[in-house]
């Protein structure tokens, strides 16, 4: 009778469940596993840090709706993925983490890298388990895939002791499981759809908010048809951008403050009333705004504020039925409506302010001028990955997306360090489905430092990511070289250098020389445009553009800060 060890059983189970990619760092006790995974046809990418690997795997899961695997060693390796698992869980992206662990016969007596990994990971996942025997590995792999993708997506963790991976099992004793089928489609109760249509019909100032859940649900066609047939204004959340093109005339992103502040009915399509939408409360919203909420997760219904109509269902059937219901009422909001006129007037004022700021080409450059130059130079359908403080926030308004799932950023958890991992996943996705599509990774200088060595990963796997660094010499804001030197020599550096400061004028682009390539250092608009043009021509290696901006540059004044305290 043929026998298989745990490594082969696990690798074959992953492949059987449709896993195509694994990201991670190999080492004891998963060295053989990483090689066998490649042997069964799973593509493996070795990273420089497990956390970045976990960011890449979850981004790939978001882009494809199929989870990728993170492979890590025991103890510290697993713990390095915890930040990534937490980000996937809060962001609602599917990912499966495979953690090697201490041999079972060494546990409790000080084994190498011994740690209670299942318990440590459980709080950051939907499912965390250690298969009790190698024969049962396929069962737990299927369950990890199912729980990571069903309902609200998230993270799953499987613990793999060295003894489990090495154990031998007769082939006829290995549990056989079928591939996990796609998640079931949940249809909405018709009566709630009718009530929602009635509420929209009588609303004076309705607003549709499109969240990243709509992008993940692949509901772009249904939502576009809904907006087209109703004429309603819509506002995308950061990663909801592109579900309907940012260029669409019904987008009111430029009048976001006015739209949120004055709407009497808000329809949430795959969006949550968390901090990113100021919890749905005053002073950001009207005290008595009515909420129509459609969400796959029942626990999300009525969260923060009570929804007038709360529907647990998938977006595709819900939006289709809502569109048909409003069509039967012959509903359409004309651009001459008072609400539309108010939104367009307020939006035009904001556009004019930004146009004035982005027309200032004086050196050192400001954020808006740099973003204007980038927007004019990059392809319209590229995937944009972004992180940083002002860099990411201003970039959300200045860099437009025409297609869904084409913006990846720090997300709901506000995690820094995600950018390069996300960009690697996006580049792989482009190679698989659209080889000519470009990936632009826009980084603040501080955010770039979290995972800068993943540039080597990009070179190793021939991924043509264009990395653009906004270098203002600090976190939020920095300082010019001369002033910094004066402060640095004024006393003990740990006592006199302000916590937000980084070394001024750091030449990040010179990192490319380690790999025999040339980076780009830019101070002017002309240099930026030239650097982007050259970088876009690369098809098998990353590029890096280091743009010096004014250390004291800031965003336009906000009527409501991003973390406005809401009144109960």
């Amino acid at each position: 009778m043929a026998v298989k060890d745990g490594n082969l059983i696990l690798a074959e189970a992953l492949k059987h469940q449709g896993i195509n990619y694994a990201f991670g760092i190999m080492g004891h006790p998963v060295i053989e596993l990483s090689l066998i995974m490649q042997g069964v046809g799973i593509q493996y990418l070795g990273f420089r840090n497990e956390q970045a690997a976990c960011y890449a795997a979850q981004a790939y899961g978001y882009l494809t709706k199929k989870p990728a695997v993170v492979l890590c060693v025991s103890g510290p390796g697993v713990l390095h993925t915890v930040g990534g698992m937490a980000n996937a869980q809060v962001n609602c992206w599917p990912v499966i983490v495979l953690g090697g662990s201490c041999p079972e016969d060494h546990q409790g007596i000080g084994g190498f890298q011994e740690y209670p990994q299942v318990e440590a990971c459980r709080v950051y996942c939907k499912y965390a388990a250690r298969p009790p025997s190698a024969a049962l590995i396929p069962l737990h792999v299927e369950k990890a895939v199912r729980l990571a993708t069903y309902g609200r997506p998230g993270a799953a963790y499987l613990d793999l002791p060295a003894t489990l991976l090495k154990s031998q099992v007769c082939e006829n004793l290995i549990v056989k499981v079928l591939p996990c089928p796609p998640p079931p489609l949940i249809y909405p109760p018709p009566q709630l759809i009718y009530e929602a249509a009635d509420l929209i019909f009588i609303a004076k100032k309705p607003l549709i908010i499109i969240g990243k859940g709509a992008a993940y649900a692949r509901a772009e066609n249904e939502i576009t048809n809904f907006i087209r047939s109703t004429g309603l204004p819509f506002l995308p959340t950061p990663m909801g951008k592109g579900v309907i093109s940012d260029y669409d005339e019904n987008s009111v992103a430029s009048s976001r403050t006015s739209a949120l502040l004055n709407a009497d009915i808000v329809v949430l399509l795959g969006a949550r009333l968390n901090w990113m939408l100021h919890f749905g409360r005053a002073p950001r919203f009207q005290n008595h705004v009515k909420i129509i909420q459609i969400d796959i997760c029942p626990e999300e219904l009525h969260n923060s504020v009570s929804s007038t109509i709360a529907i647990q269902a998938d977006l595709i059937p819900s939006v289709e039925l809502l569109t048909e219901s409003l069509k039967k009422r012959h509903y359409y909001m004309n651009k001459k409506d008072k609400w539309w006129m108010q939104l367009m007037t307020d939006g035009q004022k904001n556009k004019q302010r930004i146009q004035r700021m982005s027309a200032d080409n004086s050196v050192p450059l400001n954020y808006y001028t740099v973003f204007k130059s980038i927007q004019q130079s990059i392809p319209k359908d590229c995937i944009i990955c972004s992180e940083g403080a002002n860099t990411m926030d201003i970039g959300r308004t200045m860099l437009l997306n025409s297609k869904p799932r084409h913006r990846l950023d720090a997300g709901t958890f506000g995690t820094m360090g995600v950018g390069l991992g996300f960009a690697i996943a996006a580049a792989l996705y482009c190679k698989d489905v659209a080889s000519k599509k470009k990936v632009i990774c826009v980084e603040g200088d501080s955010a770039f430092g979290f995972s800068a060595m993943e540039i080597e990963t990009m070179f190793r796997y021939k991924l043509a990511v264009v990395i653009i660094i906004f270098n203002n010499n600090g976190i939020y804001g920095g300082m010019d070289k001369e002033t910094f030197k004066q402060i640095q020599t004024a006393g003990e550096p740990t006592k006199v250098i302000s916590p937000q400061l980084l070394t001024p004028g750091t030449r990040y682009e010179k990192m490319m020389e380690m790999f025999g390539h040339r980076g780009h250092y830019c101070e002017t608009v002309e240099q930026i445009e030239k650097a982007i043009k050259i970088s876009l021509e690369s098809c098998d290696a990353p590029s890096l553009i280091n743009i010096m901006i004014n250390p004291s540059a800031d965003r336009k004044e906000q009527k409501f800060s991003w973390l406005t305290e809401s009144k109960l």
Side-chain angles (χ1 to χ4, degrees):
M1 180 65 65
V3 297
K4 294 181 179 180
D5 69 3
N7 287 303
L8 181 57
I9 294 169
L10 176 57
E12 290 182 341
L14 292 167
K15 188 64 178 176
H16 185 61
Q17 293 300 331
I19 302 297
N20 295 318
Y21 279 102
F23 307 84
I25 298 179
M26 61 98 78
H28 181 78
V30 294
I31 297 172
E32 290 182 1
L33 177 59
S34 65
L35 297 171
I36 293 174
M37 287 168 70
Q38 279 189 316
V40 301
I42 295 173
Q43 298 183 64
Y44 179 87
L45 284 85
F47 277 66
R48 305 303 297 265
N49 183 280
E50 293 93 347
Q51 197 166 12
C54 197
Y55 294 143
Q58 64 193 258
Y60 192 83
Y62 169 68
L63 292 168
T64 64
K65 295 191 80 171
K66 295 180 179 180
V69 157
V70 182
L71 183 65
C72 56
V73 302
S74 52
V78 171
L79 292 178
H80 287 170
T81 69
V82 165
M85 280 191 282
N87 189 71
Q89 192 72 355
V90 175
N91 233 20
C92 309
W93 288 359
V95 69
I96 297 172
V97 177
L98 305 177
S101 63
C102 174
E104 291 171 295
D105 55 339
H106 290 182
Q107 291 175 7
I109 57 174
F112 175 67
Q113 295 184 331
E114 180 183 356
Y115 197 77
Q117 294 171 187
V118 176
E119 293 85 348
C121 293
R122 183 167 284 129
V123 70
Y124 306 105
C125 328
K126 293 179 69 178
Y127 179 63
R130 171 185 291 180
S133 71
L136 292 172
I137 285 175
L139 184 150
H140 288 273
V141 169
E142 187 277 337
K143 187 170 183 180
V145 171
R146 179 160 39 88
L147 294 190
T149 54
Y150 276 37
R152 173 177 283 177
Y157 173 74
L158 293 180
D159 198 58
L160 308 169
T163 40
L164 177 75
L165 294 174
K166 292 180 180 179
S167 61
Q168 304 280 321
V169 181
C170 289
E171 193 168 1
N172 66 325
L173 297 179
I174 300 170
V175 173
K176 303 292 190 297
V177 294
L178 295 173
C180 178
L185 201 62
I186 302 175
Y187 280 76
Q191 183 58 37
L192 292 181
I193 293 293
Y194 300 149
E195 292 174 9
D198 287 341
L199 202 57
I200 293 171
F201 190 82
I202 62 173
K204 300 296 184 184
K205 297 180 177 182
L207 176 66
I208 310 301
I209 298 181
I210 302 172
K212 110 175 141 274
Y216 183 82
R218 306 306 196 263
E220 53 266 21
N221 292 335
E222 291 74 18
I223 294 176
T224 298
N225 184 41
F226 173 61
I227 295 297
R228 292 282 176 276
S229 67
T230 61
L232 287 165
F234 74 88
L235 178 69
T237 64
M239 276 189 276
K241 285 162 60 68
V243 170
I244 303 179
S245 173
D246 286 338
Y247 299 91
D248 192 278
E249 63 179 4
N250 282 49
S251 172
V252 292
S254 61
S255 51
R256 184 178 190 271
T257 294
S258 179
L260 296 179
L261 187 60
N262 295 293
D264 59 358
I265 299 291
V266 169
V267 182
L268 298 173
L269 301 180
R272 294 177 279 177
L273 290 179
N274 53 25
W275 67 272
M276 297 184 80
L277 285 173
H278 304 264
F279 313 105
R281 300 176 183 172
R284 199 63 170 91
F285 290 76
Q286 291 189 41
N287 276 313
H288 304 295
V289 64
K290 291 182 171 60
I291 304 295
I292 298 172
Q293 185 181 20
I294 303 175
D295 201 285
I296 194 68
C297 177
E299 289 82 3
E300 188 61 37
L301 302 179
H302 305 293
N303 193 30
S304 182
V305 297
S306 295
S307 296
T308 304
I309 300 172
I311 303 171
Q312 186 213 351
D314 280 276
L315 281 177
I316 287 177
S318 299
V319 174
E320 283 180 335
L321 291 171
L322 186 57
T323 302
E324 289 302 315
S325 189
L326 287 168
K327 278 184 178 179
K328 290 177 181 178
R329 292 166 170 79
H330 305 288
Y331 177 88
Y332 188 81
M333 176 164 277
N334 193 283
K335 291 292 191 302
K336 294 182 180 179
D337 185 275
K338 289 183 179 180
W339 176 226
W340 258 120
M341 296 295 288
Q342 178 183 347
L343 291 172
M344 289 190 289
T345 299
D346 292 342
Q348 189 58 36
K349 291 177 182 177
N350 283 329
K351 288 178 181 178
Q352 289 172 353
R353 293 191 195 100
I354 290 175
Q355 286 170 358
R356 286 194 295 269
M357 298 176 75
S358 60
D360 180 6
N361 287 357
S362 58
V363 176
L365 298 169
N366 68 62
Y367 284 103
Y368 294 89
T369 302
V370 175
F371 273 120
K372 177 185 176 183
S373 176
I374 294 172
Q375 174 63 32
Q376 292 175 343
S377 302
I378 62 176
K380 190 175 181 180
D381 67 343
C382 62
I383 296 180
I384 299 170
C385 305
S386 184
E387 61 176 330
N390 289 334
T391 300
M392 181 177 64
D393 292 340
I394 299 171
R396 287 169 173 167
T397 64
M398 296 293 291
L399 298 181
L400 305 183
N401 293 97
S402 61
K403 294 186 178 181
R405 299 170 296 282
H406 278 51
R407 180 179 175 87
L408 307 172
D409 68 21
T412 310
F413 211 27
T415 307
M416 292 297 109
V418 298
L420 272 65
F422 283 4
I424 289 171
L428 288 174
Y429 172 75
C430 290
K431 286 179 68 173
D432 290 344
V433 303
S435 59
K436 294 184 179 180
K437 191 181 293 291
K438 297 296 182 179
V439 177
I440 312 296
C441 185
V442 182
E443 300 275 303
D445 51 345
S446 173
F448 173 70
F450 281 74
S451 54
M453 275 310 298
E454 299 304 339
I455 287 177
E456 188 273 330
T457 307
M458 295 178 182
F459 271 106
R460 199 175 346 130
Y461 296 106
K462 298 184 176 182
L463 302 175
V465 176
V466 179
I467 303 168
I468 302 176
I469 300 175
F470 278 62
N471 191 348
N472 70 346
N473 305 333
I475 303 171
Y476 303 110
M479 187 173 288
D480 64 81
K481 286 184 179 180
E482 293 305 316
T483 307
F484 181 84
K485 286 181 179 178
Q486 292 173 11
I487 292 176
Q488 194 178 30
T489 57
E492 167 56 42
T494 57
K495 296 180 179 179
V496 297
I497 296 178
S498 183
Q500 87 276 11
L501 296 180
L502 300 175
T503 303
T506 301
R507 299 296 295 266
Y508 296 108
E509 80 284 354
K510 291 188 176 294
M511 292 181 68
M512 305 300 279
E513 296 176 12
M514 295 189 293
F515 311 101
H517 284 244
R518 176 178 171 270
H520 304 273
Y521 177 81
C522 301
E523 294 182 338
T524 67
V525 168
E526 292 76 16
Q527 291 171 339
I528 295 170
E529 292 171 351
K530 181 180 178 181
I532 292 176
K533 182 179 179 181
I534 294 172
S535 298
L536 290 173
E537 293 172 355
S538 175
C539 60
D540 64 355
S543 305
L544 195 152
I545 304 171
N546 183 20
I547 303 175
M548 302 305 301
I549 65 170
N550 191 331
S552 59
D554 203 355
R555 62 188 301 177
K556 72 179 183 68
E557 184 180 353
Q558 304 294 295
K559 183 174 181 180
F560 293 93
S561 72
W562 60 271
L563 199 55
T564 301
E565 290 296 328
S566 299
K567 309 300 181 185
L568 295 175

